[in-house]
């Protein structure tokens, strides 16, 4: 395969002209966040918010120009816009949000199905980083798969993608039969996709909020997920613009909050829970991770981060407590090794705990999807 440089990509993009001034999009400084990894290319095209809906042909032309280079396997270009002066919405659009699986958010210029064959979407979120959210996401997804469900896992943490490593598929290049739709990577019986497959593992993602959301939309729309019973979304930590936009623009079936037991983590967990409630996304419950530590030598139990705080917080906020997961070296070691505990030790106590939580979540999901009616339709404007 011929090695292509960023300079060659930019030279190819100079053939694409902005129709408003007939100048090329590189000279105009419209190309942002260019990433190149082993034949896979990604970049953003920064445009005026008001022109965004009319520039889809320009985006496609840019993708085609780069794809024509020898050695290029896939190209992902996204349109992004800075916040308009005096505007309130970071994406350049205003959205009226109501949680109805059969409707679109706001008034879309044209309906573009993101995940037409996905029956339910569950976000796994935390108010802060470092609470084991990604480890929980992976093992919950495997817990769903153990019930015979068709499961997908979307790594929505653009700035710190960890799912590829946790599933033992880091460094894998997604395939594409037509150069447009990526095939998800399969591991441990589930399908997964992450920006980590498309950029170098140690490459920093210096992207603004709108660019992040555009990338996430393409990881949903331009990936051949196929029929899924449930798509688990490993959300970015915190409650910033990316998280809020995701909650507003993707009709989530529900959200699961992950927290450790100590007070400072629970304060952030409350923020995460309230964010979903304000955007009318059902909160399925709270999981207490790193709940306690049992010494592998003497069996003595130590509550390093306190214990029971998540259960107490759930009761105070009127949310369900889904269960607790201990702080255990085996869970951490298996995640680091790309051999998650639910897959590698399926009959162990830790796997049973994850599976029990997954069963509770799926029961709630079934109730919500039945009450919403058939035909989950996700659109983006």
């Amino acid at each position: 395969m011929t090695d292509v440089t960023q300079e060659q990509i930019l030279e190819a993009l100079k053939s694409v002209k902005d129709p408003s001034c007939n100048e090329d999009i590189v000279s105009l400084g419209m190309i942002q966040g260019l990433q190149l990894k082993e034949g896979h290319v990604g970049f953003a095209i920064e445009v005026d918010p008001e022109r965004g809906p009319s520039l889809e042909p320009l985006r496609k032309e840019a993708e085609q120009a780069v794809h024509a280079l020898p050695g290029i396997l896939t190209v992902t270009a996204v349109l992004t816009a800075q916040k308009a002066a005096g505007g309130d919405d970071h994406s350049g659009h205003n959205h009226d949000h109501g949680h109805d699986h059969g409707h679109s958010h706001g008034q879309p210029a044209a309906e573009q199905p993101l995940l037409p064959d996905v029956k339910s979407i569950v976000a796994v979120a935390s108010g802060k980083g470092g609470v084991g959210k990604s480890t929980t996401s992976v093992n919950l997804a495997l817990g769903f798969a153990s019930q015979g469900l068709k499961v997908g896992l979307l790594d929505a943490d653009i700035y710190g993608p960890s799912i590829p490593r946790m599933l033992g598929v880091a460094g894998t290049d997604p395939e594409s039969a037509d150069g447009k739709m990526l095939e998800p990577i399969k591991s441990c019986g589930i399908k997964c996709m992450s920006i980590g497959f498309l950029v170098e593992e140690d490459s920093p993602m210096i992207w603004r909020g709108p660019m992040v959301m555009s990338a996430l939309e393409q990881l949903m729309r331009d990936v051949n997920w196929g029929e899924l019973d449930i798509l688990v979304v490993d959300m970015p930590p915190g409650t910033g613009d990316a998280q809020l936009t995701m909650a507003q623009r993707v009709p989530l079936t529900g959200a699961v909050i992950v927290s450790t037991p100590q007070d400072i983590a629970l304060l952030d967990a409350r923020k995460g829970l309230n964010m979903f409630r304000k955007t009318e996304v059902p909160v399925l419950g709270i999981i207490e991770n790193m709940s306690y530590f049992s010494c592998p030598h003497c069996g003595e139990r130590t509550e390093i981060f306190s214990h029971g705080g998540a259960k107490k917080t759930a009761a105070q906020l009127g949310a369900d407590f889904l269960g607790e997961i201990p702080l255990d070296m085996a869970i951490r070691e298996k995640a680091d090794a790309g051999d998650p505990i639910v897959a590698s030790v399926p009959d162990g106590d830790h796997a049973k705990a994850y599976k029990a939580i997954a069963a509770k979540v799926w029961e709630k999901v079934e109730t919500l999807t039945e009450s919403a009616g058939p035909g989950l339709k996700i659109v983006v404007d």
Side-chain angles (χ1 to χ4, degrees):
M1 182 176 68
T2 304
D3 290 331
V4 179
T5 65
Q6 289 196 356
E7 289 73 19
Q8 289 173 309
I9 293 171
L10 291 173
E11 191 63 32
L13 288 170
K14 287 182 179 180
S15 66
V16 181
K17 303 294 181 66
D18 184 334
S20 68
C21 60
N22 202 34
E23 291 187 46
D24 72 86
I25 59 178
V26 176
S27 299
L28 290 171
M30 296 170 66
I31 302 300
Q32 303 288 332
L34 177 61
Q35 297 281 343
L36 170 63
K37 179 189 176 185
E38 298 178 356
H40 300 283
V41 179
F43 57 90
I45 306 172
E46 192 165 291
V47 300
D48 187 292
E50 295 179 356
R51 300 177 61 211
S54 66
L55 290 180
E56 177 63 15
L58 181 142
R59 185 191 71 80
K60 290 183 177 179
E61 184 183 352
E63 285 189 338
Q64 291 168 358
V66 176
H67 200 270
L69 292 171
I72 295 298
L73 300 177
T74 64
V75 183
T76 300
V78 299
L79 292 174
T80 184
Q82 295 190 49
K83 181 180 177 181
D88 294 327
D89 189 289
H90 291 277
S91 64
H93 302 278
N94 291 321
H95 302 279
D96 293 323
H97 182 84
H99 189 75
D100 180 351
H101 291 286
H103 85 307
S104 63
H105 301 288
Q107 298 297 323
E111 293 191 350
Q112 303 176 41
L114 284 177
L115 299 160
D117 299 316
V118 176
K119 296 178 182 178
S120 59
I121 309 172
V122 170
V124 179
S126 63
K128 66 190 296 292
V131 300
K133 170 185 55 61
S134 294
T135 302
T136 302
S137 297
V138 169
N139 283 296
L140 274 185
L142 294 173
F144 293 131
S146 72
Q147 300 179 53
L149 302 174
K150 297 177 182 177
V151 182
L153 176 59
L154 172 62
D155 187 352
D157 192 350
I158 297 295
Y159 296 116
S162 56
I163 297 301
R165 178 172 290 273
M166 289 186 176
L167 283 174
V169 288
T172 304
D173 292 331
E175 296 181 354
S176 176
D178 57 5
K180 298 178 182 179
M181 296 289 289
L182 291 174
E183 294 297 323
I185 303 299
K186 296 180 181 178
S187 178
C188 302
I190 64 176
K191 298 177 180 179
C192 68
M193 181 50 65
S194 168
I195 197 71
F197 293 127
L198 306 176
V199 300
E200 297 293 342
E201 192 172 37
D202 56 356
S203 177
M205 299 297 290
I206 309 172
W207 285 6
R208 287 186 289 269
M211 297 170 72
V212 170
M213 192 56 212
S214 295
L216 288 176
E217 286 173 359
Q218 290 207 285
L219 288 178
M220 290 182 279
R221 183 183 62 236
D222 296 342
V223 172
N224 183 24
W225 289 102
E227 292 186 4
L228 295 178
D229 295 308
I230 185 168
L231 177 68
V232 177
V233 181
D234 180 28
M235 294 281 283
T239 54
D241 179 70
Q243 296 84 348
L244 180 61
T245 308
M246 188 79 177
Q248 288 177 323
R249 295 181 66 177
V250 177
L252 302 168
T253 308
V256 172
I257 307 297
V258 180
S259 180
T260 47
Q262 72 268 41
D263 291 343
I264 191 68
L266 289 166
L267 285 173
D268 291 313
R270 287 172 179 262
K271 294 177 184 177
L273 185 146
N274 288 328
M275 178 194 73
F276 285 111
R277 284 184 170 172
K278 286 182 179 179
T279 53
E280 300 181 30
V281 175
V283 176
L284 305 176
I286 301 177
I287 298 171
E288 182 168 284
N289 197 33
M290 308 181 198
S291 186
Y292 58 88
F293 172 74
S294 292
C295 177
H297 304 294
C298 67
E300 181 180 353
R301 173 167 165 158
T302 304
E303 296 171 354
I304 296 175
F305 301 115
S306 185
H307 179 262
K311 186 174 184 178
K312 182 178 178 181
T313 298
Q316 291 172 344
L317 298 178
D320 288 340
F321 179 65
L322 297 172
E324 58 186 36
I325 302 295
L327 175 65
D328 192 278
M329 288 180 62
I331 297 175
R332 191 270 303 167
E333 290 173 345
K334 292 293 185 181
D336 286 348
D339 192 19
I341 197 84
V342 172
S344 58
V345 193
D347 296 323
D349 290 340
H350 301 327
K352 290 178 180 178
Y354 282 116
K355 289 178 181 179
I357 293 173
K360 290 180 182 179
V361 172
W362 179 245
E363 183 178 356
K364 293 174 178 291
V365 166
E366 284 191 301
T367 300
L368 287 169
T369 52
E370 287 173 3
S371 63
L376 171 62
K377 188 177 184 181
I378 304 168
V379 297
V380 59
D381 57 356

